[in-house]
Amino acid sequence: MDREPAVAGRFYPASPAALRAEVEDLIGAATGAEPALGVLVPHAGYRYSGAVAGETYARVRVPRRAVVLCPNHTGRGAPVALWPDGAWQTPLGPVAIDVELTALLAASPSVELDREAHLGEHALEVQLPFLQVRQPELTLAALCLGPLTEGSCEGLAQALAAALRRCPALLVASSDMSHFLPAPAARAQDERALSHLLRLDARGLHDTVRREDISMCGVVPATVMLFAARELGASSAELVRYASSGDVTGDLERVVGYAGAVIR
């Protein structure tokens, strides 16, 4: 069964030509792209966060496999929901589910084969056109994650790292940062969260966001990505760009923060 687009025409253009043109413009020349273990990328409408996402994807060589981890905004489905088969359709064409990698992940006791969590979820879908433009032969493992504890994040990351040792892939953590605060307060909160990410401190990131009630919706995907990247030998993280919705709308009283980072 294929997963059909849920937010084409709203978060990004539904026209294949318009979508490709916009994504290529947001990515730019992509000169100097290097291999990476993981990336943190935002998932708002392209008008708002596309520049941050495009600049982040321009920094990495996207291999033929990717694992995209997104938060569960809808509350539907399993807490660790893995799309089982078929392909994810976008206006740029299908992205096939990677059969071997998905089977390895499905063997983990914490992972459930589940479509329900993915059906109305935008946070994974909006990453795919960027990945398709960077890697036309992409195959995908798709995970939608609920509000997991730090221990559950670490356990899932260990299973993910074991799978990636057999089937290397780019880890993509889909997350916006703080929501609906004045721009200075949003930046201050986001800098505290990002300081842990930039030190590859998965526990510190998860704890700080939870303890300080920072509305970083994808803290669980980011935590899992960091734990897994450390298992795979990550040694550095770079903040590519930070921005907010206020940079586009001019409304600095209620912004959403966006960050792009690369883990190597």
Side-chain angles (χ1 to χ4, degrees):
M1 175 181 174
D2 287 359
R3 197 275 195 181
E4 298 297 329
V7 294
R10 293 194 290 134
F11 280 65
Y12 60 83
S15 157
L19 176 57
R20 182 171 294 277
E22 182 169 357
V23 171
E24 288 178 346
D25 181 63
L26 290 168
I27 292 172
T31 56
E34 297 180 356
L37 289 167
V39 290
L40 173 76
V41 277
H43 56 231
Y46 287 6
R47 177 189 175 211
Y48 302 103
S49 67
V52 175
E55 190 171 336
T56 304
Y57 281 116
R59 297 287 185 92
V60 300
R61 294 181 194 168
V62 176
R64 292 179 64 176
R65 284 187 175 107
V67 179
V68 185
L69 306 103
C70 76
N72 186 331
H73 290 93
T74 69
R76 296 157 56 184
V80 181
L82 179 67
W83 188 270
D85 53 20
W88 280 56
Q89 298 287 341
T90 82
L92 300 184
V95 180
I97 290 298
D98 191 284
V99 174
E100 184 178 5
L101 181 52
T102 294
L104 289 171
L105 294 173
S108 171
S110 65
V111 175
E112 296 183 49
L113 294 173
D114 176 69
R115 294 183 175 90
E116 183 68 21
H118 290 275
L119 292 180
E121 179 57 60
H122 69 278
L124 194 153
E125 179 181 332
V126 298
Q127 306 301 336
L128 297 183
F130 287 99
L131 290 162
Q132 287 175 287
V133 167
R134 296 292 286 125
Q135 174 51 267
E137 298 181 1
L138 183 77
T139 60
L140 171 71
L143 280 164
C144 184
L145 307 179
L148 304 180
T149 65
E150 177 190 304
S152 295
C153 288
E154 187 171 14
L156 175 60
Q158 290 170 350
L160 186 54
L164 265 58
R165 289 189 185 99
R166 295 178 60 179
C167 297
L170 177 68
L171 287 163
V172 178
S174 180
S175 182
D176 292 343
M177 299 300 294
S178 58
H179 288 62
F180 310 132
L181 296 174
R187 180 179 284 273
Q189 283 197 359
D190 293 342
E191 285 177 350
R192 290 197 294 276
L194 290 167
S195 69
H196 293 284
L197 184 140
L198 296 175
R199 295 197 300 271
L200 303 178
D201 177 11
R203 289 185 179 85
L205 172 65
H206 191 278
D207 178 66
T208 296
V209 169
R210 295 298 189 228
R211 178 168 36 83
E212 299 190 19
D213 197 26
I214 298 172
S215 51
M216 178 184 178
C217 54
V219 63
V220 166
T223 299
V224 173
M225 183 267 289
L226 282 178
F227 271 129
R230 286 294 299 268
E231 284 278 324
L232 294 168
S235 60
S236 68
E238 173 194 3
L239 179 65
V240 175
R241 183 170 176 176
Y242 177 84
S244 80
S245 58
D247 299 329
V248 175
T249 66
D251 178 4
L252 301 180
E253 292 304 309
R254 278 172 56 87
V255 307
V256 178
Y258 309 121
V262 177
I263 313 300
R264 293 188 168 94

